[in-house]
Amino acid sequence: MKNGVLGEETLTISMMVNGESVVRDVPVNRTLLSVLREDLGLIGAREGCGVGECGACTVIMNGKTVNACMVLAPKADGATITTIEGLSDGEHLHPLQEAFIEEGAVQCGFCTPGMILSAKALLDENPSPTRLEIREGISGNLCRCTGYQQIVDAIELVVNRTEEAKA
Amino acid sequence: MSIPHFRYIAPQTLEEAIGLLRMAKESGKRARVLAGGTDLMVQLRAHEITPDVVIDISGIKRLSRVDRMGNEIQIGPLVTHASLATLDLIREYAGVLSEAARTVGSPQIRNLGTLGGNIVNASPAADTIPALVILDARLALRGPEGERILPITDFFKGPYQTVIEKDELLTGVIIPLPSLNGRAVFLKLARRKAVAIARMNLACMLYYDRQKEIFEWVRLCVGSSTPKPVRMTQAEKVLVGNAYTDDVLQEAGRAAAEQMVALSGFRSSTAYKKPVVGDLVIRAVHLAVEKG
Ligand SMILES: Cc1cc2nc3c(=O)[nH]c(=O)nc-3n(C[C@H](O)[C@H](O)[C@H](O)COP(=O)(O)OP(=O)(O)OC[C@H]3O[C@@H](n4cnc5c(N)ncnc54)[C@H](O)[C@@H]3O)c2cc1C
Ligand code: FES
Ligand code: FES
């Protein structure tokens, strides 16, 4: 504490984002979402509602999906973060991305990055979910276009393909 | 909307955090504790709160623990809803809390939101509170003068109002292990965005003796229907010592509805909620008895 002042206005945060180490000075009142989009140019995570309701800003933080609009940037210090940009290797699409395209689960595409990350987190934890479990797994991601059917189909396609590959 | 300007600090120990809260209080600074942030970030964005300093307690490791100590379990306030929903210790000894946590928000919100935040925010619609009320939970609060422990029902003054002091932290939730092997149910009315009032939840725990054909004991708490969370004692009285019949269930539903009206007065939402409370109670008791 200096002269009765508590805390900092700007902090240096280091994170592992999509496998790369990143260090940035950020004002403490920013969100992880704004740092990803504005400072790191990772615009896959979208800002829909800004209040935790739509899931368009979903990223995986330390293995778990979170709404990046709800995470104050300093909270991401030391965290490992995966955004949609980290899923494909630049040449090949991730199996979920392929299946989403095949099943027509991408229409306007606004919800897609968050949706795919929720699906990835679900499958990482439970590789053979039921349709109901898939619905629950993506219940924090709103889609205005598809009515969810195609999205659930796409995730199920990945489940079936993974099982076939194993058999 | 933008987030207001504030300073940020992340203490790593409880002592440090309480020291900071005390310093803020003494110097007239508005401090806000930050846990998962799922309530706080919304309030910041709406400029409902404009703190001078945000004290992030999420690095205080001992506040994330769940321990069994003798006949109690101690849950740290930083335990997330996702953990409450899945941890064996909670599922086994406080199943109704697990069920309540499972209904919170979305997977993303459950990964961030904490038990302590849900309690201290004191929303009438908070899902873990009715569960904690019927589990006879006690809360440990820690301030510069030390610790005090109080029953959860003494913690709330009204919607979004609690007895916590500016320099106190919620440091633990203590749940006595149930001595009786009851059945528990948590019910929640689906949130319809257009009708915010339609949010209601209920926690129920009971033991029905099938040999004697009587309810041995019953605990009921309905959320977001009374100014402060309370047990539905009138309905509990109707059930205990009686058999599981339609008449008894209907009577319990009526008793719960009447107690709700008596406690909340005639607010605009009361007319809608009155029959719903009765139906919820009947459904919950039915489901709990059918569980075994
Ligand atoms: C989209 C969305 C959906 C939601 N759905 C639900 C739902 O279905 N059911 C439900 O019950 N809630 C719901 N919530 C509300 C919220 O997620 C929960 O109340 C959550 O448990 C809050 O915890 P937190 O750690 O995020 O709290 P924070 O936002 O960090 O804090 C909340 C309040 O508690 C104070 N606080 C936190 N921890 C402590 C402590 N240990 N000591 C002292 N003060 C403390 C903070 O200062 C703040 O005032 C929802 C929120 C969102 C955004
Ligand atoms: S932008 Fe984060 S949940 Fe909508
Ligand atoms: S594809 Fe348009 S919101 Fe989902």
Side-chain angles (χ1 to χ4, degrees):
Chain A
M1 189 172 71
K2 308 166 223 121
N3 314 321
V5 178
L6 298 177
E8 306 294 335
E9 291 183 291
T10 303
L11 281 175
T12 307
I13 60 170
S14 10
M15 333 179 251
M16 280 298 272
V17 181
N18 300 331
E20 277 177 44
S21 137
V22 174
V23 181
R24 286 286 187 287
D25 288 337
V26 294
V28 298
N29 67 339
R30 292 191 46 206
T31 62
L32 171 61
L33 180 61
S34 90
V35 172
L36 291 172
R37 289 179 59 87
E38 292 156 32
D39 298 19
L40 305 181
L42 298 169
I43 56 171
R46 311 278 163 78
E47 173 138 346
C49 64
V51 288
E53 307 251 350
C54 75
C57 64
T58 301
V59 300
I60 298 179
M61 180 164 146
N62 299 330
K64 293 183 173 127
T65 54
V66 298
N67 311 91
C69 71
M70 297 265 100
V71 177
L72 209 56
K75 272 186 169 292
D77 186 33
T80 301
I81 290 170
T82 305
T83 71
I84 193 70
E85 288 88 350
L87 279 205
S88 84
D89 57 11
E91 273 178 54
H92 309 93
L93 289 177
H94 186 275
L96 276 164
Q97 291 171 311
E98 262 173 20
F100 266 62
I101 295 166
E102 278 174 57
E103 293 289 343
V106 183
Q107 290 184 22
C108 81
F110 191 78
C111 70
T112 311
M115 199 65 89
I116 288 183
L117 288 166
S118 283
K120 177 177 167 10
L122 170 71
L123 297 185
D124 286 348
E125 209 164 279
N126 175 6
S128 41
T130 62
R131 279 184 86 82
L132 185 66
E133 286 167 340
I134 294 175
R135 286 208 166 254
E136 279 171 8
I138 59 166
S139 60
N141 296 80
L142 301 187
C143 175
R144 290 163 181 271
C145 305
T146 65
Y148 303 101
Q149 197 70 31
Q150 296 95 314
I151 293 173
V152 178
D153 289 346
I155 299 169
E156 209 170 39
L157 183 64
V158 175
V159 173
N160 292 338
R161 279 183 180 157
T162 315
E163 277 169 8
E164 276 163 27
K166 263 193 254 154
Chain B
M1 216 196 292
S2 68
I3 299 176
H5 180 86
F6 51 75
R7 285 172 178 269
Y8 170 96
I9 190 160
Q12 300 299 304
T13 67
L14 198 52
E15 293 66 29
E16 221 185 309
I18 289 162
L20 288 165
L21 284 170
R22 187 183 49 95
M23 274 191 262
K25 190 178 173 185
E26 283 171 359
S27 58
K29 296 264 188 269
R30 286 162 301 169
R32 273 289 174 161
V33 171
L34 172 67
T38 56
D39 281 314
L40 208 70
M41 291 298 280
V42 176
Q43 292 157 6
L44 283 170
R45 244 172 222 261
H47 288 233
E48 274 170 34
I49 53 172
T50 51
D52 298 306
V53 58
V54 166
I55 301 177
D56 184 353
I57 58 169
S58 55
I60 306 176
K61 298 221 166 44
R62 59 188 273 201
L63 299 183
S64 316
R65 295 174 57 113
V66 178
D67 295 301
R68 184 181 166 165
M69 319 242 284
N71 288 326
E72 295 176 336
I73 44 177
Q74 286 237 26
I75 310 175
L78 292 179
V79 174
T80 61
H81 296 294
S83 299
L84 292 176
T86 50
L87 283 175
D88 287 339
L89 201 57
I90 311 277
R91 290 176 54 171
E92 186 168 345
Y93 296 115
V96 70
L97 178 60
S98 236
E99 281 195 42
R102 198 185 306 279
T103 72
V104 170
S106 61
Q108 294 94 316
I109 293 291
R110 292 195 290 277
N111 284 337
L112 286 171
T114 65
L115 179 62
N118 201 228
I119 297 169
V120 178
N121 192 56
S123 158
D127 283 313
T128 63
I129 293 173
L132 292 170
V133 168
I134 65 166
L135 287 167
D136 271 341
R138 284 170 293 139
L139 304 181
L141 304 179
R142 180 80 77 92
E145 263 79 70
E147 186 179 71
R148 57 180 177 139
I149 294 181
L150 63 169
I152 184 151
T153 44
D154 290 353
F155 182 68
F156 302 101
K157 290 201 281 197
Y160 304 100
Q161 303 283 317
T162 77
V163 301
I164 199 165
E165 296 289 342
K166 283 201 176 85
D167 52 4
E168 277 182 319
L169 280 179
L170 171 63
T171 52
V173 177
I174 305 156
I175 295 177
L177 295 189
S179 48
L180 299 151
N181 182 21
R183 297 286 177 268
V185 169
F186 182 82
L187 289 180
K188 175 164 161 180
L189 287 186
R191 171 146 79 150
R192 276 173 286 159
K193 290 243 169 72
V195 198
I197 273 162
R199 287 205 80 188
M200 266 174 113
N201 54 22
L202 173 150
C204 165
M205 222 163 39
L206 58 78
Y207 182 70
Y208 187 70
D209 188 325
R210 287 179 184 275
Q211 248 88 60
K212 292 195 223 149
E213 295 198 342
I214 54 165
F215 288 98
E216 283 280 345
W217 57 272
V218 182
R219 294 180 191 173
L220 285 163
C221 179
V222 183
S224 64
S225 60
T226 52
K228 292 198 276 178
V230 287
R231 295 252 302 263
M232 291 282 119
T233 45
Q234 304 300 327
E236 292 174 1
K237 273 191 203 129
V238 169
L239 292 165
V240 171
N242 279 314
Y244 174 56
T245 64
D246 252 6
D247 284 352
V248 169
L249 253 62
Q250 294 294 335
E251 181 58 30
R254 267 196 300 277
E258 261 147 39
Q259 188 181 356
M260 191 271 288
V261 173
L263 288 169
S264 49
F266 288 94
R267 290 182 301 165
S268 58
S269 58
T270 310
Y272 156 78
K273 283 182 174 171
K274 190 176 171 195
V276 181
V277 168
D279 285 350
L280 266 183
V281 165
I282 292 168
R283 229 169 80 212
V285 171
H286 169 77
L287 285 172
V289 172
E290 296 303 316
K291 268 192 173 180

